[in-house]
Structure formats: structure tokens, C-alpha cells
Amino acid sequence: MDRAIETERLSLRVPVATDLAAVATLWRDPELVKFIGRRPLSREQAWQRLLRLVGHWALAGYGVFVMIERATGRYVGEVGIANFERDVVPPIGPFEMGWIVSPSVQGRGYASEAVSAVLALHDRHFPRAVVSCSIHADHAASLRVAAKHGFVERARTTYNDDPNVILDRKAST
């Protein structure tokens, strides 16, 4: 699978070790984690996250990209499709889409731009595969992004003590 994607405003690429400072900064923002675990990550936890993202690419050949704003070179988020092996009922996988965008650039359409690019890449490599996502039930902005890209609610569940909506995007034909 391609390891880099260029969009009009973003460069999406596989994470590397030198992304640690940016990952740690992003994930310690309380606004970012409000709907994702509710606790900012320490530098150690950010390193573990980065290792997991890189490891997924190594083991599965696909995964989460880092989102770089082309105009500034800033690390502004993450987007991708991975198999997170979540312990949730009903099950999700092996293609679960996720995205996060720095609060400093939210509202600019970066999530939609990045999700579109990743789904197009995924559809080229896995044309018959269903892609799912799990979104906190109160995260209206992410639910809108999902709906815009054809994700439809399949179930409501609880994940890490939070209400979540599991959505599916049917396979392309």
C-alpha cells in the first residue's frame, strides 16, 4: 500500500520516530482527548502510541498516517485505517477508520480532506472491504465527517466506559 498521500492542503505519511514531540504535544491537549479516552497522554504514552502506529504498518502493510499541513509543515493530526483489535461488542475490523485533528486547525475541513484521500487509497487496494469506525456518541463533528463519507450506524455500544456509535461504510464495487 502507498505510504504517502498528497492532498490539496495536506501531506499524509507513515509515522516516524522523529514525530514523537509532535505526537506528544497533540495528544496532551485536553480538547483533543475530550471524546477519545478523556485523559491527555504523557510523553511515555505518546511514544507507545507512536510505536503502535509504526508497528501496525510493519505487521499489516497499512495503517494510520500522520497529517502534515503543507503550507506550514505542522503536524496537525492523524488519519488512517487499522485493525485495532478492539474488545467491543459487536466486533469491528479488520478495517477500522479513525481520524483526529488538532484543535488549532479544526473546522477547516482537514478531516474530510484526509478521510477522502485515505478511503480512495483503501478502495484501490481492498475494493470489496467494509470499513468501520467507532465514534463517541457525543462527538457531533466526527459523526458528521463519517456521514459525509457514507458511514451508516450499525450499532451503539460502550467502549472504555464511553457511549460509542459503530458505523460501517459499505464496500465499493
Side-chain angles (χ1 to χ4, degrees):
M1 177 163 303
D2 301 5
R3 298 176 65 84
I5 305 171
E6 294 288 320
T7 71
E8 180 182 344
R9 299 176 297 162
L10 301 168
S11 293
L12 309 177
R13 62 164 173 76
V14 173
V16 295
T18 54
D19 289 326
L20 175 59
V23 172
T25 298
L26 184 67
W27 281 92
R28 82 168 146 246
D29 186 324
E31 187 64 26
L32 178 85
V33 300
K34 180 169 54 176
F35 296 113
I36 311 167
R38 294 172 297 194
R39 290 184 197 93
L41 299 185
S42 67
R43 184 174 175 87
E44 177 183 354
Q45 291 166 322
W47 176 245
Q48 291 167 353
R49 176 174 179 74
L50 185 58
L51 290 172
R52 184 177 73 197
L53 297 180
V54 171
H56 195 284
W57 278 97
L59 292 176
Y62 65 97
V64 175
F65 295 94
V66 298
M67 214 186 284
I68 306 297
E69 187 178 48
R70 291 176 64 182
T72 64
R74 286 187 305 164
Y75 187 111
V76 295
E78 300 168 1
V79 61
I81 298 174
N83 182 355
F84 295 114
E85 291 290 339
R86 290 191 198 279
D87 188 14
V88 66
V89 175
I92 303 171
F95 299 113
E96 180 182 347
M97 177 142 222
W99 56 89
I100 56 123
V101 177
S102 170
S104 68
V105 296
Q106 287 178 359
R108 298 183 189 179
Y110 285 173
S112 286
E113 185 174 325
V115 166
S116 291
V118 170
L119 285 171
L121 175 66
H122 184 268
D123 288 349
R124 283 196 309 274
H125 289 276
F126 305 101
R128 292 175 188 76
V130 173
V131 178
S132 302
C133 60
S134 180
I135 300 174
H136 191 290
D138 296 332
H139 198 330
S142 278
L143 290 168
R144 282 191 302 273
V145 170
K148 179 179 179 178
H149 291 89
F151 287 89
V152 177
E153 183 175 329
R154 171 169 44 110
R156 298 244 168 182
T157 191
T158 300
Y159 181 69
N160 288 340
D161 299 323
D162 286 324
N164 269 245
V165 181
I166 297 174
L167 305 105
D168 292 336
R169 177 181 169 267
K170 299 302 178 204
S172 63
T173 54

